[in-house]
Amino acid sequence: MNRPKTYHITTFGCQMNEHDSETIAGMLSQMGFSESPGRDEADVAIINTCSVRENADKRFFGTLGQLKKKKLADPEFTVCVCGCMMQQQHVIDSIKSKYPWVDIIFGTHNIHQFPQLLESVLREKEKVVNVWEDGGDIVEGLPAKRLYKHKAFVNIMYGCNNFCTYCIVPYTRGRERSRRPQDILDEVKRLVSDGVREVTLLGQNVNSYKGDEHTDFADLIYRLNEVSGLERIRFMTSHPKDLSDKLIQAYGDCDKLCNYIHLPVQSGSSRVLARMNRKYTREDYLNLIAKLKKTVPQITISTDIIVGFPGETEEDFEETLDLVRKVEYDSAFTFLYSIRRGTPAEKYEDQIPEDVKHQRFNRLVETVNSISAEKNAGYVGRVEKVLVEGLSKTSDRTYTGRTEEFKLINFAGTPDMVGKIIDVKVTEGKTFSLEGEVI
Ligand code: SF4
């Protein structure tokens, strides 16, 4: 078969999508393709989309538009689109009518079929739309071309049952399905034997993981903590309603579980949380934080916050600011609420004017950043264990890595340090990172 030789993947969205792209890259490598440095030089371009934020939607259509010229000049150039947006019929309809030159559309549930779809398109020269409505059985054993040699993402569950009223994910990723614990353990052991020292367990709602009747998420952490050669365990993303006392205790008991948690709060107002269908109150959340800090005093905490959810009053927003000050987050991903088509909140009539949203957003960012800077300044003089990731993007002599508490730290290093855990003394705390020197 006379098939193209190079590919390029553009990924939007979260770490689940990043990991799906690693799987797509792994399958293409097995087919004999190699990675191209840019879309323009590639024989096959894949765009892996995200539907969570309006901004990612817009960027996807902008990126797709840029491929038109090359596709029209070179019909052999193959354009594939996949990911969460493809699970929405109105998106597929729009691509078919406005971008009819797209060759393959596939969804989040049938990534494993991509090699067959690509081969069929290359052979038959016919376009393919193949999107499964739900996931069926989890397909094990797919290859992955990892971004890093020493750390890896491991999907432990797929989908979400929570139906937060602003979120499209339960409609695009389907209901929760957990992998078997033994399959996860086997994968982690294989990764460790391949040089991986840190794994991040992935899922839309990892802490509702239910592997079998004896294995919930905390049990899985305890079992992974026994894997010889593995040094760090992280997870992403967790839901406050599923943060059990048992999982909090695992932080105290499991030395490989990093002292860091990303615990999305979304709002500091119980009234807004109820309208978001988050299933916890402000008080529940603050109780969880108190328990975490009691069990692991050095824990670092990050969160997601949505500003301007429909009906959010100035008092509700003040409660969010107050909660941010009380928790003292190390960092926070802050978002302006945007309507997602097909979600319950799309129908809420009390949408917040854009100027009010922006004004609140700026106040929130200011508060979050000043706490982050203050907390990072408190690290000066401490010696941190840092897993070295590689060169920083801004310099060819500055290396970058993560502390156990997930702080990004920059320091002068050497290539042989990459993938190792080394001691770095913190010399400066900035808003978003630390500076240090190797000792
Ligand atoms: S927990 Fe809520 S925000 Fe997270 S993926 Fe599920 S529905 Fe979306």
Side-chain angles (χ1 to χ4, degrees):
M1 191 172 107
N2 183 23
R3 65 186 180 200
K5 288 281 182 276
T6 61
Y7 69 90
H8 183 273
I9 305 177
T10 307
T11 308
F12 294 102
C14 66
Q15 280 167 327
M16 295 283 284
N17 260 20
E18 294 280 353
H19 190 44
D20 284 349
S21 290
E22 288 185 340
T23 303
I24 293 167
M27 292 189 290
L28 284 162
S29 293
Q30 277 195 348
M31 292 172 78
F33 286 71
S34 59
E35 192 171 0
S36 158
R39 272 194 302 265
D40 286 344
E41 303 89 55
D43 299 304
V44 176
I46 300 121
I47 309 179
N48 189 1
T49 64
C50 167
S51 55
V52 172
R53 315 257 168 236
E54 191 180 24
N55 191 24
D57 267 36
K58 286 187 182 147
R59 284 165 60 218
F60 160 62
F61 282 114
T63 305
L64 194 54
Q66 287 165 19
L67 297 180
K68 182 176 179 184
K69 201 167 154 205
K70 178 171 160 80
K71 178 68 185 176
L72 295 186
D74 174 11
E76 295 293 309
F77 175 50
T78 306
V79 179
C80 318
V81 293
C82 60
C84 290
M85 283 177 75
M86 302 311 128
Q87 296 294 140
Q88 297 169 283
Q89 190 56 46
H90 70 92
V91 174
I92 296 177
D93 294 343
S94 171
I95 293 172
K96 280 182 176 169
S97 69
K98 295 188 192 137
Y99 309 86
W101 38 267
V102 168
D103 297 288
I104 304 178
I105 300 176
F106 64 104
T108 55
H109 299 305
N110 61 331
I111 285 176
H112 59 283
Q113 286 193 315
F114 178 57
Q116 291 97 299
L117 301 178
L118 181 57
E119 284 197 355
S120 129
V121 164
L122 295 175
R123 195 174 45 238
E124 314 290 338
K125 311 283 181 214
E126 294 280 341
K127 298 178 195 322
V128 172
V129 178
N130 194 331
V131 177
W132 289 10
E133 278 195 13
D134 60 45
D137 291 340
I138 293 172
V139 179
E140 291 290 345
L142 294 177
K145 188 167 181 285
R146 297 198 314 272
L147 280 176
Y148 295 95
K149 177 113 188 75
H150 57 278
K151 63 176 195 175
F153 298 127
V154 176
N155 264 120
I156 62 162
M157 50 95 68
Y158 300 86
C160 181
N161 293 348
N162 289 324
F163 292 93
C164 301
T165 52
Y166 53 82
C167 183
I168 195 73
V169 166
Y171 310 94
T172 59
R173 291 264 175 183
R175 297 297 79 71
E176 290 176 5
R177 294 166 298 139
S178 294
R179 287 178 70 195
R180 285 186 294 269
Q182 196 56 49
D183 289 334
I184 297 168
L185 279 159
D186 290 346
E187 181 178 344
V188 170
K189 285 179 189 164
R190 273 198 308 275
L191 288 166
V192 169
S193 67
D194 195 32
V196 165
R197 313 184 76 173
E198 174 184 305
V199 291
T200 301
L201 309 176
L202 289 183
Q204 254 80 38
N205 187 14
V206 276
N207 51 342
S208 71
Y209 172 84
K210 193 78 194 143
D212 57 38
E213 63 206 66
H214 307 295
T215 319
D216 63 14
F217 184 60
D219 296 318
L220 183 68
I221 298 278
Y222 278 96
R223 287 177 73 178
L224 288 170
N225 198 54
E226 298 300 315
V227 174
S228 162
L230 180 65
E231 299 196 43
R232 290 179 168 186
I233 304 168
R234 302 188 189 279
F235 58 85
M236 169 93 49
T237 283
S238 53
H239 194 298
K241 82 171 170 42
D242 296 310
L243 182 57
S244 64
D245 287 350
K246 192 167 151 194
L247 179 55
I248 292 174
Q249 188 52 44
Y251 275 99
D253 295 339
C254 301
D255 57 331
K256 294 175 185 175
L257 181 58
C258 291
N259 293 328
Y260 164 72
I261 188 165
H262 182 73
L263 194 63
V265 66
Q266 308 299 6
S267 169
S269 153
S270 295
R271 197 186 70 82
V272 174
L273 289 170
R275 293 193 88 208
M276 288 177 164
N277 193 30
R278 289 291 289 175
K279 305 181 182 94
Y280 55 87
T281 63
R282 165 193 176 86
E283 290 69 32
D284 296 335
Y285 187 91
L286 287 170
N287 278 338
L288 288 172
I289 297 293
K291 280 189 203 171
L292 277 165
K293 287 185 175 176
K294 188 164 176 230
T295 309
V296 195
Q298 66 275 37
I299 198 161
T300 53
I301 304 167
S302 61
T303 197
D304 295 336
I305 301 171
I306 296 172
V307 177
F309 187 75
E312 180 191 72
T313 62
E314 179 59 23
E315 291 69 35
D316 293 321
F317 177 68
E318 286 289 345
E319 286 202 82
T320 298
L321 287 181
D322 180 67
L323 181 133
V324 165
R325 289 189 202 102
K326 283 199 164 79
V327 176
E328 297 186 311
Y329 290 108
D330 291 85
S331 61
F333 297 94
T334 47
F335 304 97
L336 285 165
Y337 171 76
S338 61
I339 292 176
R340 300 287 69 207
R341 194 164 155 186
T343 59
E346 178 195 9
K347 310 254 168 11
Y348 290 179
E349 285 176 358
D350 41 5
Q351 302 287 332
I352 304 295
E354 287 302 313
D355 59 331
V356 176
K357 275 196 227 172
H358 280 91
Q359 187 250 52
R360 288 180 188 163
F361 181 82
N362 292 342
R363 286 161 62 200
L364 176 64
V365 169
E366 210 174 288
T367 305
V368 164
N369 287 353
S370 88
I371 295 170
S372 299
E374 202 176 308
K375 294 200 85 175
N376 285 347
Y379 276 74
V380 174
R382 280 172 55 165
V383 175
E384 294 291 319
K385 297 265 175 232
V386 174
L387 178 55
V388 184
E389 296 192 346
L391 273 172
S392 91
K393 288 187 185 125
T394 51
S395 153
D396 57 4
R397 282 187 307 130
T398 306
Y399 281 74
T400 185
R402 292 273 176 186
T403 69
E404 194 190 320
E405 293 91 14
F406 206 57
K407 299 272 180 190
L408 187 70
I409 183 161
N410 299 307
F411 49 89
T414 49
D416 58 301
M417 291 174 181
V418 176
K420 293 189 179 142
I421 294 178
I422 60 168
D423 287 335
V424 181
K425 186 170 181 183
V426 181
T427 54
E428 189 185 348
K430 297 180 166 177
T431 306
F432 303 112
S433 62
L434 306 172
E435 299 290 312
E437 56 192 24
V438 179
I439 58 167

